[in-house]
């Protein structure tokens, strides 16, 4: 996607051929800043502190983290250590383990002298595959948006509600939930996006609103509790969110609050879709209730960060001193509330059978294939 008119990915290999550039997402929307990752610890820190975040981008950053580790030491022990360090950075998105397993599969059985080069090649492929997957999700989801647009009065926009940031910032490029949105907008379909602010870290207000704005997509930021009211008044035509992990039977884990949107959508007959790239599907885990839910520091819940009128970035406390807080990062939406999973291989029912039919090679192993 473009930043100030310039095509930009969220992660790239620097011109020195070894260090890795990323967008520092903690500085947005007030400042566009980039970071250079030079070591395994840099990559692990960037993921854990959410300078890079969003399931597919976490996977891509972990892949490059493995490259940075191998650059320093290509021994078996170093690979094991890098795997363990990166895997524990964030527990919920399965893309992290998926990417690390992909990396280990291409480096483990090689002579040490070849491992780093093979790792950099695979990491670049993982990034390119992510972009191709998201473009395919965009094509399949476009059809859903066009079908709704066809039933609208002339000039009326299709109103899409999204939660958190499953946009290009959460991926290498294009985004999962935003893939269909950008495809529709670029094709001239009139649409408008309701953007949940997504407390406590405000990925919707800070990131989704910023990237939609950069691309010129009409949008409105709403408080997290607004969606149900909008749906009751016919102001939402469809919901599209992303996912951090889809279970084998189609349960969807995503940013905290997604489940409540799914309940409201069901009650109001609003279709509820998930942009679901295949690396986010965990075929080894049947029931979404078993997905590990990240709990982050209470300070994220107790504070808000923003820009003051004179341009300073300040963090203020918004709860009484001493009140306990709980900060659950994700929740699970049961498959029965999901209208469809928009994957790179088409829009699938959120069922074990639907997923297994579309990705037969994944049921018994770890592979990925781009759409058809
Ligand atoms: O905690 P985050 O910001 O990493 O959570 C991101 C989300 O929940 C996204 O919806 C999900 O990772 C899908 S990104 C394409």
């Amino acid at each position: 996607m473009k930043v100030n008119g310039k095509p930009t990915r969220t992660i790239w290999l620097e011109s020195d051929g070894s260090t890795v550039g990323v967008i520092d997402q903690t500085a947005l929307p007030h400042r566009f800043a980039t970071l250079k990752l030079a070591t395994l610890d840099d990559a692990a820190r960037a993921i854990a502190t959410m300078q890079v975040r969003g399931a597919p981008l976490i996977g891509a950053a972990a892949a490059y983290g493995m490259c940075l580790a191998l650059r320093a030491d290509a021994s078996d022990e170093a690979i094991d250590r890098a795997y363990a360090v990166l895997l524990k950075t964030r527990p919920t998105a399965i893309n992290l383990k998926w990417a690390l397993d992909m990396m280990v599969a291409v480096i483990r059985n090689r002579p040490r002298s070849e491992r780093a080069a093979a790792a950099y090649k695979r990491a670049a492929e993982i990034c390119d595959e992510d972009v191709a997957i998201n473009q395919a999700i965009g094509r399949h989801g476009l059809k859903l948006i066009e079908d709704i647009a066809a039933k609208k009065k002339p000039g009326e926009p299709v109103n899409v509600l999204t939660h958190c940031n499953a946009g290009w910032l959460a991926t290498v490029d294009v985004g999962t939930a935003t893939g269909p949105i950008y495809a529709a907008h670029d094709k001239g379909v009139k649409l408008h996006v309701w953007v949940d602010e997504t407390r406590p870290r405000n990925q919707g207000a800070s990131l989704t609103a910023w990237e939609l704005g950069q691309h010129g997509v009409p949008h409105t930021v709403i408080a997290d509790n607004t969606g149900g009211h909008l749906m009751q008044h016919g102001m939402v035509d469809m919901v599209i969110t992303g996912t951090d992990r889809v279970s084998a039977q189609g349960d969807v884990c995503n940013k905290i609050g997604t489940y409540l949107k799914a309940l409201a959508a069901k009650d109001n007959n609003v279709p509820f879709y998930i942009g679901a790239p295949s690396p986010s599907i965990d075929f080894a885990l049947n029931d979404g209730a078993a997905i590990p839910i990240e709990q982050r520091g209470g300070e994220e819940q107790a504070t808000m960060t923003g820009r003051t009128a004179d341009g300073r970035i300040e963090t203020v406390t918004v709860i009484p001193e001493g009140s306990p807080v709980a900060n659950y990062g994700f929740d699970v939406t049961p498959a029965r509330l999901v209208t469809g999973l928009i994957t790179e291989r088409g829009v699938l029912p959120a069922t074990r059978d639907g997923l297994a039919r579309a990705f037969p090679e994944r049921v018994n192993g770890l592979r990925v294939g781009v759409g058809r």
Side-chain angles (χ1 to χ4, degrees):
M1 305 303 288
K2 289 186 181 158
V3 177
N4 300 324
K6 185 172 164 233
T8 310
R9 284 186 171 189
T10 56
I11 189 164
W12 58 91
L13 187 61
E14 294 284 7
S15 54
D16 60 17
S18 57
T19 61
V20 177
V22 294
I23 298 171
D24 178 0
Q25 302 197 17
T26 60
L28 289 169
H30 307 299
R31 196 164 57 89
F32 180 79
T34 60
L35 286 171
K36 205 181 257 202
L37 311 178
T39 64
L40 165 65
D41 288 346
D42 287 349
R45 193 179 321 107
I47 299 170
T49 63
M50 295 176 64
Q51 287 170 317
V52 293
R53 33 66 52 204
L57 180 56
I58 290 170
Y64 272 119
M66 182 62 83
C67 300
L68 295 170
L70 288 179
R71 215 178 118 211
D73 180 353
S75 65
D76 286 355
E77 300 71 39
I79 295 172
D80 290 345
R81 179 172 172 273
Y83 189 101
V85 165
L86 290 162
L87 188 64
K88 70 169 196 257
T89 50
R90 295 202 66 194
T92 301
I94 192 63
N95 306 60
L96 176 56
K97 181 174 187 307
W98 175 87
L100 289 172
D101 287 342
M102 289 287 159
M103 295 300 288
V104 170
V106 297
I107 53 187
R108 180 68 88 190
N109 294 323
R110 285 178 191 274
R112 281 189 194 191
S113 58
E114 293 176 9
R115 285 177 172 175
Y120 275 102
K121 181 167 173 289
R122 188 69 187 103
E125 285 167 3
I126 285 173
C127 289
D128 290 343
E129 284 167 10
D130 178 63
V131 179
I133 286 171
N134 298 335
Q135 285 167 337
I137 288 174
R139 285 194 297 276
H140 296 301
L142 166 65
K143 173 87 176 55
L144 300 172
I145 296 177
E146 285 182 321
D147 286 350
I148 295 172
K151 294 181 196 132
K152 290 262 166 189
K153 293 196 189 101
E156 256 184 15
V158 175
N159 283 297
V160 183
L161 184 142
T162 194
H163 189 68
C164 193
N165 173 262
W168 74 264
L169 286 167
T171 64
V172 175
D173 205 349
V174 180
T176 58
T178 54
I181 291 169
Y182 290 132
H185 176 79
D186 292 349
K187 207 175 163 189
V189 178
K190 203 165 155 54
L191 85 172
H192 164 264
V193 183
W194 296 109
V195 178
D196 281 355
E197 65 176 341
T198 320
R199 277 283 287 153
R201 287 189 66 111
N202 292 322
Q203 289 96 326
S206 300
L207 304 177
T208 305
W210 181 80
E211 64 163 87
L212 291 175
Q214 288 287 322
H215 202 72
V217 178
H219 62 278
T220 306
V221 179
I222 50 176
D224 284 328
N225 301 323
T226 311
H229 170 78
L230 297 177
M231 291 181 206
Q232 285 176 321
H233 289 79
M235 294 163 79
V236 180
D237 295 302
M238 69 193 305
V239 178
I240 314 179
T241 78
T243 180
D244 289 81
R245 194 184 302 212
V246 178
S247 79
Q249 67 182 12
D251 303 320
V252 172
C253 184
N254 191 47
K255 181 53 56 189
I256 192 80
T258 303
Y259 170 51
L260 294 177
K261 293 296 132 66
L263 286 174
K266 186 75 168 178
D267 195 42
N268 291 282
N269 292 319
V270 173
F272 188 87
Y273 289 101
I274 306 291
S278 64
S280 301
I281 304 169
D282 187 353
F283 283 94
L285 195 148
N286 190 49
D287 188 341
I291 295 172
I293 301 295
E294 178 178 22
Q295 289 192 57
R296 296 183 63 85
E299 72 287 352
E300 292 183 352
Q301 190 62 50
T303 61
M304 294 272 276
T305 299
R307 190 175 56 192
T308 62
D310 61 0
R312 283 171 297 117
I313 304 300
E314 294 275 9
T315 299
V316 296
T317 301
V318 292
I319 66 165
E321 201 166 316
S323 281
V325 293
N327 185 8
Y328 293 88
F330 301 91
D331 60 25
V332 176
T333 298
R336 65 188 151 76
L337 299 178
V338 176
T339 310
L341 300 167
I342 314 173
T343 74
E344 68 269 31
R345 294 192 182 169
V347 182
L348 308 179
T351 61
R352 173 200 292 280
D353 198 42
L355 286 169
R357 266 176 210 265
F359 296 98
E361 78 282 14
R362 286 289 309 279
V363 176
N364 296 315
L366 266 171
R367 288 219 316 276
V368 65
V370 171
R372 54 182 180 218

